[in-house]
Amino acid sequence: QKEVEQDPGPLSVPEGAIVSLNCTYSNSAFQYFMWYRQYSRKGPELLMYTYSSGNKEDGRFTAQVDKSSKYISLFIRDSQPSDSATYLCAMSALGGSYIPTFGRGTSLIVHP
Amino acid sequence: EADIYQTPRYLVIGTGKKITLECSQTMGHDKMYWYQQDPGMELHLIHYSYGVNSTEKGDLSSESTVSRIRTEHFPLTLESARPSHTSQYLCASSEPLGGGSTDTQYFGPGTRLTVL
């Protein structure tokens, strides 16, 4: 079983839709949960992160962590065509190497 | 935008050639990484470095080597390229995140390598 599972999609939605992107994980030691966005022909860039459980909001983006279910989500409100990208979740435990474990990414397409 | 650069961006070469993928960062980060990324697949860590003269192999078995003679420079070398090396190679550097108990990574734009 992989430590981090993420459906690769693609997920296609109309402009203005609410998008839900998700990851599950098996390592209960993970405490930091990150979302990266990767546009075509570019490297991933950090979108937002949360520590432990709870929600975090940044503009149209909300990150949610449910440690009891080992499940994290990224919600995008009022999605725009410019949100079309691959979204990768990443997680790391306290201490250790600090190197995150990445999901395979979900390809999101927002069509006008 | 992160100040991390990779050259070349695209490379098509024949089997058996020796190649070096360049990576430089101007952020003064000690930690640097090389990842391999195939479409729809996880990022696979192939090498990393915690600072000058420090290099470690990652999770993915690789026939590549790296060096870290200067903080800002972390080149990846394939001594004899094979078609199985065809992939996207991403370089990254990192700095502490939040309270300093983990790192966030800054990625370069990648080198897309095709070995014929």
Side-chain angles (χ1 to χ4, degrees):
Chain A
Q1 182 189 11
K2 294 178 181 176
E3 277 194 301
V4 178
E5 298 277 2
Q6 186 176 12
D7 187 331
L11 178 62
S12 182
V13 302
E15 182 175 355
I18 296 174
V19 175
S20 173
L21 303 167
N22 312 295
C23 289
T24 59
Y25 63 96
S26 59
N27 188 346
S28 57
F30 287 146
Q31 294 281 354
Y32 281 92
F33 304 91
M34 294 157 273
W35 286 96
Y36 285 79
R37 179 176 59 196
Q38 184 176 19
Y39 289 114
S40 180
R41 299 186 181 85
K42 296 282 182 71
E45 58 178 344
L46 182 68
L47 194 58
M48 57 194 306
Y49 74 94
T50 53
Y51 171 69
S52 194
S53 287
N55 293 358
K56 186 173 184 178
E57 190 173 319
D58 183 2
R60 297 184 295 110
F61 298 88
T62 299
Q64 196 171 78
V65 175
D66 181 349
K67 291 190 71 181
S68 62
S69 302
K70 295 190 177 68
Y71 187 89
I72 69 169
S73 300
L74 178 71
F75 297 96
I76 307 174
R77 291 186 302 279
D78 187 25
S79 57
Q80 303 294 310
S82 59
D83 295 327
S84 298
T86 296
Y87 291 81
L88 299 95
C89 63
M91 310 175 189
S92 63
L94 285 175
S97 70
Y98 292 3
I99 299 173
T101 301
F102 285 86
R104 62 197 298 188
T106 298
S107 174
L108 172 66
I109 302 166
V110 182
H111 52 86
Chain B
E1 194 164 317
D3 297 320
I4 182 162
Y5 309 97
Q6 291 185 244
T7 56
R9 293 293 314 278
Y10 302 92
L11 181 61
V12 180
I13 59 166
T15 297
K17 299 291 186 184
K18 177 181 178 178
I19 59 167
T20 295
L21 308 184
E22 301 288 348
C23 176
S24 295
Q25 51 98 3
T26 59
M27 296 172 283
H29 292 161
D30 287 325
K31 297 177 185 176
M32 295 189 74
Y33 312 82
W34 276 102
Y35 289 91
Q36 188 171 333
Q37 183 182 38
D38 293 310
M41 303 299 291
E42 296 88 346
L43 288 172
H44 289 292
L45 181 67
I46 48 179
H47 292 284
Y48 60 101
S49 167
Y50 284 153
V52 171
N53 294 325
S54 153
T55 61
E56 302 286 345
K57 285 188 180 293
D59 303 324
L60 182 66
S61 175
S62 171
E63 291 139 348
S64 57
T65 59
V66 292
S67 62
R68 191 84 183 279
I69 299 172
R70 304 197 315 265
T71 297
E72 63 271 21
H73 194 215
F74 191 41
L76 176 85
T77 298
L78 281 169
E79 291 293 332
S80 180
R82 295 209 304 264
S84 61
H85 294 137
T86 295
S87 187
Q88 163 122 309
Y89 292 84
L90 289 166
C91 179
S93 65
S94 71
E95 66 180 18
L97 176 68
S101 296
T102 193
D103 283 1
T104 184
Q105 302 200 321
Y106 296 91
F107 288 86
T111 293
R112 186 167 296 279
L113 173 65
T114 302
V115 184
L116 303 175

